[in-house]
Amino acid sequence: MLDGRRKSVQPMAERLPDGNMQALQQFVNQSPWDPLPVRRRIAERLSRAIRPEVWVIDDVSFPKCGTASVGVARQYCGALGKRANCQVAVSVHAATDTASCPLDWQLYLPREWTEMPDRCRRAGVPDEAVAHQEKWRLALGMLDTLVDWELEAPVVVADAGYGVSTPFRTGLEERGLSYVLALTGKEVAHAEQARPHRPAYGGLGPPTLPRYRTPPRAVSALAAEAGPEQFTEVTWRQGSKGPMTSRFTVLTVRPAGKQSLAAAQNAGGGRNRWDGVLPTRTLLAEWPQGQDTPTGYWISNLPATTPIIDLVRWAKMRWRIEHDYRELKHGLGLDHFEGRTWRGRHHHVTLVTAAQAFLTLRRLDPKAHTPA
């Protein structure tokens, strides 16, 4: 938290009166301390202080030059807005409109790593982490960890990278978690009133299966078809330049992509036993004043009767983690780590999270004594 542009080990040690670079390097990179109990203590303390309305799931990237750092691969790098050589970590944050803090992190390992066990071993990746897991699976695993820590899950929110994943949404529902997840306008669905029919059996081959008479349509088309008069003006928070206001509507739809179809068939007892009815979900759509068409979409398993102001606030609350990433990266050096190992990366992320948690607690109550 001291002044100075670079927050890697050597310059930090040089800024301390009794700084010992070798000892600090050892503590971050080689020391065997387990970061999970530290992150649990941070998560418990900050959850009590913040009382989050949502848990935000996202991922953050760290551009890298070489190929030796654990998890480095050529993949989409959000920090650069393109594919590049980088590390990616998935994170879960507790958030309200006024405060937020990371609760847990997990480094994403691309297949270029998990298909080369020797490479993982050289980087210190534990055996149980070598199997490839998609980012949404890592997110579900962290949610399970937070529940094991006896933290109560509020509404889960995430961007469209997670919202378009039917297995992720199904995983949340299986865990009894409510969600409001961003979607792209290209995702397809049927209108609520659509019903399947079963064509007459021709007498040859397997029995005919129920099907919808018309193909599913993009959610952007369903929202636009509702018409601008169905959109209500909602103010969800005060911004730096005044109230944050736009127009929204809530629709009930039946998600109908291939993954949604497979999930519905599985839930219905299998392809031949399923009645063909796709389950309904709540669609929140945004149509800002002055725009020709809707511009934002979110899917939720909350009932359509949920107050629209609540749906909008939760959907928009994801902005808080941009504050987290900005402070973690630029103020506290999250992307300044120069070590290459699994242990070092998780140690460093945990220490930076502790620093940000300390600052968050001080902002919430500047007069309170907050032990470091």
Side-chain angles (χ1 to χ4, degrees):
M1 290 179 284
L2 296 176
D3 290 338
R5 291 180 61 85
R6 194 74 184 164
K7 299 297 179 75
S8 52
V9 170
Q10 181 176 348
M12 283 197 297
E14 291 173 351
R15 285 194 289 274
L16 295 171
D18 56 348
N20 185 321
M21 186 186 75
Q22 184 175 354
L24 189 57
Q25 188 80 32
Q26 172 76 20
F27 178 71
V28 176
N29 280 306
Q30 284 85 38
S31 180
W33 60 276
D34 186 354
L36 268 183
V38 182
R39 292 210 290 266
R40 177 173 183 171
R41 184 67 178 270
I42 295 170
E44 292 171 343
R45 178 75 177 275
L46 268 294
S47 293
R48 289 195 301 269
I50 293 176
R51 297 185 180 181
E53 294 185 60
V54 298
W55 280 354
V56 184
I57 295 172
D58 203 2
D59 43 73
V60 60
S61 55
F62 310 100
K64 293 288 182 179
C65 293
T67 59
S69 295
V70 61
V72 163
R74 186 167 180 81
Q75 54 194 320
Y76 180 76
C77 179
L80 301 177
K82 62 180 181 179
R83 287 181 61 83
N85 207 51
C86 66
Q87 291 172 313
V88 174
V90 180
S91 57
V92 181
H93 303 241
T96 67
D97 276 332
T98 57
S100 58
C101 184
L103 300 178
D104 202 8
W105 301 82
Q106 188 60 266
L107 187 66
Y108 169 70
L109 290 179
R111 293 189 184 277
E112 295 95 312
W113 280 80
T114 57
E115 293 175 354
M116 300 176 66
D118 289 342
R119 188 183 186 190
C120 289
R121 197 172 298 113
R122 288 194 298 272
V125 180
D127 292 341
E128 63 271 16
V130 170
H132 176 74
Q133 293 190 70
E134 298 90 339
K135 295 171 188 174
W136 62 266
R137 290 188 191 276
L138 294 176
L140 290 177
M142 286 189 288
L143 293 177
D144 291 339
T145 297
L146 294 175
V147 172
D148 288 343
W149 291 350
E150 300 182 354
L151 299 180
E152 186 174 347
V155 176
V156 176
V157 302
D159 66 16
Y162 296 88
V164 299
S165 171
T166 300
F168 177 64
R169 302 198 304 262
T170 302
L172 294 177
E173 292 163 4
E174 290 172 348
R175 290 161 172 80
L177 300 177
S178 301
Y179 60 77
V180 180
L181 308 174
L183 280 184
T184 66
K186 297 179 180 179
E187 294 301 302
V188 295
H190 291 286
E192 177 188 15
Q193 62 271 22
R195 293 291 186 275
H197 76 290
R198 187 184 295 273
Y201 181 52
L204 296 175
T208 56
L209 300 176
R211 66 191 66 173
Y212 285 83
R213 296 179 183 275
T214 57
R217 302 170 64 198
V219 295
S220 58
L222 293 174
E225 190 176 77
E229 64 278 1
Q230 297 299 318
F231 285 71
T232 302
E233 187 171 279
V234 176
T235 299
W236 62 92
R237 70 178 176 87
Q238 289 290 323
S240 59
K241 298 182 180 180
M244 304 289 288
T245 302
S246 189
R247 299 185 305 165
F248 298 86
T249 194
V250 173
L251 303 173
T252 300
V253 299
R254 300 180 184 275
K258 290 182 179 179
Q259 290 184 334
S260 297
L261 180 63
Q265 289 176 345
N266 183 61
R271 184 171 181 268
N272 293 323
R273 299 178 61 184
W274 178 48
D275 62 5
V277 179
L278 290 164
T280 60
R281 293 295 179 265
T282 298
L283 177 71
L284 175 68
E286 178 182 6
W287 194 336
Q289 192 75 37
Q291 296 293 323
D292 295 333
T293 58
T295 59
Y297 312 92
W298 295 264
I299 190 170
S300 176
N301 61 340
L302 293 165
T305 54
T306 304
I308 191 170
I309 178 61
D310 290 338
L311 292 173
V312 172
R313 285 185 61 254
W314 294 330
K316 294 291 188 175
M317 210 172 286
R318 187 184 160 274
W319 77 274
R320 276 294 313 186
I321 64 163
E322 302 303 328
H323 169 276
D324 284 349
Y325 287 151
R326 184 168 57 251
E327 182 170 63
L328 289 162
K329 283 189 169 187
H330 303 308
L332 300 172
L334 180 64
D335 56 354
H336 296 174
F337 181 64
E338 295 174 351
R340 295 178 176 179
T341 66
W342 175 273
R343 177 182 294 169
R345 167 53 73 184
H346 281 81
H347 282 175
H348 179 259
V349 164
T350 302
L351 294 170
V352 174
T353 300
Q356 204 254 1
F358 175 84
L359 295 175
T360 299
L361 291 171
R362 292 301 296 266
R363 281 192 291 263
L364 289 172
D365 189 355
K367 296 180 180 180
H369 173 66
T370 309

